[in-house]
C-alpha cells in the first residue's frame, strides 16, 4: 500500500492576499449576527413579561463593542448596557504601538497591515455609535489593555456614556490585581481580576439610576 502525502492547498500570493484584505466584507459579519441574536433574546424576555427597564445588556471585549452598537441603534429597547474592555479588531494597542506613535499613526499601520476592509468596518461602526444622541452605556477600559486600551477616548464625546478607567497600572485602590490567584499579566482580563470588585458599587449605582 502506497501512502501519498496529502495534497497541500496552494497559498495565495502576497499580492492576492492584499487584494483579498482590501475587498469589502461579503455577507453578514459575525458581530451583526450576534447583535441580531441578542435582539431576539431581549424580545423573548419581553414576551415573557419582563419590563424593558429591568433588562440590561452587558458584554466584554467584542461583546462590549456589540453592546454599544446595539444600544446606538436601539436606545429604548432595554434600560442600558455595560461594556467591559471593548474592542473587536485584535490587539491594536499593543501590536501597533499606540503608546509610542499615537492613535492616528497606529491606525494607519493597522489599515496598511490588515487592509482597508477591517479598518473601514471598525471606523464605520465607531461613526454609527458616535451618532447616538444619548447612549446609556457604562464603559470600563484600562490603558494597558493590549486590545483597545488606548483607543477609547472617543466614547467620552457621546452623551449618556459613563467611562471608567479602571486603573493606570496593576492596582485598584492600592490593591494588586490578580486573576485566578496570579498577578494579572494580560490587562484585557482586568474585569476578571479580584480587584475589579471595587467597582461593584459603581455598577449597582448605574443600574439603580436606569431602573
Amino acid at each position: 500500500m502506497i501512502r501519498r502525502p496529502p495534497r497541500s492547498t496552494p497559498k495565495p500570493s502576497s499580492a492576492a492576499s492584499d487584494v483579498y484584505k482590501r475587498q469589502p466584507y461579503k455577507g453578514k459579519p459575525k458581530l451583526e449576527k450576534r447583535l441580531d441574536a441578542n435582539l431576539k433574546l431581549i424580545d423573548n424576555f419581553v414576551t415573557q413579561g419582563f419590563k424593558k427597564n429591568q433588562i440590561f445588556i452587558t458584554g466584554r471585549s467584542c461583546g462590549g463593542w456589540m453592546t454599544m452598537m446595539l444600544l446606538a441603534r436601539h436606545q429604548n429597547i432595554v434600560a442600558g448596557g455595560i461594556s467591559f474592555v471593548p474592542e473587536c479588531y485584535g490587539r491594536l494597542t499593543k501590536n501597533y504601538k499606540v503608546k509610542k506613535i499615537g492613535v492616528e499613526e497606529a491606525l494607519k499601520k493597522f489599515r496598511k497591515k490588515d487592509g482597508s476592509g477591517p479598518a473601514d468596518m471598525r471606523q464605520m461602526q465607531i461613526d454609527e455609535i458616535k451618532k447616538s444622541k444619548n447612549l446609556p452605556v457604562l464603559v470600563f477600559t484600562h490603558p494597558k489593555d493590549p486590545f483597545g486600551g488606548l483607543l477609547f477616548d472617543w466614547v467620552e464625546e457621546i452623551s449618556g456614556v459613563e467611562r471608567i478607567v479602571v486603573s493606570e497600572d496593576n492596582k485598584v485602590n492600592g490593591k494588586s490585581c490578580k486573576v485566578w490567584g496570579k498577578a494579572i499579566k494580560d490587562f484585557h482580563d482586568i474585569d476578571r481580576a479580584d480587584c475589579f470588585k471595587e467597582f461593584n458599587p459603581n455598577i449597582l449605582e448605574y443600574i439603580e439610576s436606569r431602573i
Side-chain angles (χ1 to χ4, degrees):
M1 179 178 176
I2 301 175
R3 293 183 179 272
R4 299 181 184 274
R7 294 180 179 179
S8 59
T9 303
K11 295 183 178 180
S13 67
S14 58
S17 298
D18 188 59
V19 170
Y20 171 76
K21 288 192 294 183
R22 296 179 185 281
Q23 289 178 339
Y25 190 94
K26 293 183 179 180
K28 197 166 196 176
K30 188 177 293 185
L31 187 61
E32 293 286 351
K33 293 178 181 178
R34 292 178 182 176
L35 194 152
D36 290 344
N38 275 274
L39 287 175
K40 290 181 180 179
L41 182 62
I42 292 168
D43 186 60
N44 287 338
F45 278 126
V46 173
T47 300
Q48 293 176 42
F50 289 92
K51 296 179 180 179
K52 290 183 179 180
N53 67 349
Q54 295 176 325
I55 302 173
F56 287 81
I57 181 168
T58 69
R60 72 177 312 277
S61 192
C62 201
W65 188 275
M66 186 274 297
T67 295
M68 293 190 294
M69 284 179 56
L70 187 150
L71 286 171
R73 295 179 187 178
H74 310 278
Q75 294 182 10
N76 299 316
I77 197 169
V78 293
I82 305 174
S83 178
F84 303 96
V85 287
E87 185 52 74
C88 209
Y89 290 87
R91 295 174 176 262
L92 301 183
T93 293
K94 181 179 180 180
N95 291 350
Y96 300 103
K97 298 178 173 59
V98 176
K99 185 175 181 179
K100 182 178 181 180
I101 66 175
V103 172
E104 186 175 346
E105 289 301 315
L107 291 179
K108 286 180 181 178
K109 287 181 175 292
F110 167 53
R111 177 178 293 276
K112 183 176 180 180
K113 184 176 180 180
D114 284 40
S116 57
D120 286 343
M121 183 175 290
R122 181 179 185 275
Q123 189 58 52
M124 178 183 68
Q125 291 166 350
I126 289 175
D127 291 342
E128 180 182 14
I129 294 169
K130 288 174 70 174
K131 286 180 182 178
S132 177
K133 295 181 179 179
N134 182 45
L135 190 63
V137 180
L138 178 61
V139 181
F140 288 93
T141 66
H142 193 294
K144 290 189 176 182
D145 173 12
F147 287 76
L150 293 173
L151 296 170
F152 264 83
D153 288 348
W154 59 270
V155 299
E156 296 185 8
E157 302 172 21
I158 308 171
S159 176
V161 169
E162 180 182 348
R163 180 193 184 191
I164 294 179
V165 178
V166 174
S167 173
E168 296 293 333
D169 49 32
N170 65 341
K171 294 183 178 180
V172 174
N173 292 337
K175 299 179 181 178
S176 296
C177 298
K178 297 181 179 180
V179 178
W180 307 119
K182 296 181 179 180
I184 189 168
K185 293 182 178 180
D186 186 344
F187 284 87
H188 196 56
D189 290 331
I190 190 65
D191 59 316
R192 295 170 171 169
D194 54 3
C195 63
F196 196 78
K197 65 184 179 182
E198 296 291 319
F199 295 97
N200 286 349
N202 300 82
I203 294 172
L204 291 174
E205 182 180 353
Y206 168 74
I207 291 173
E208 289 173 356
S209 73
R210 299 295 306 173
I211 294 178

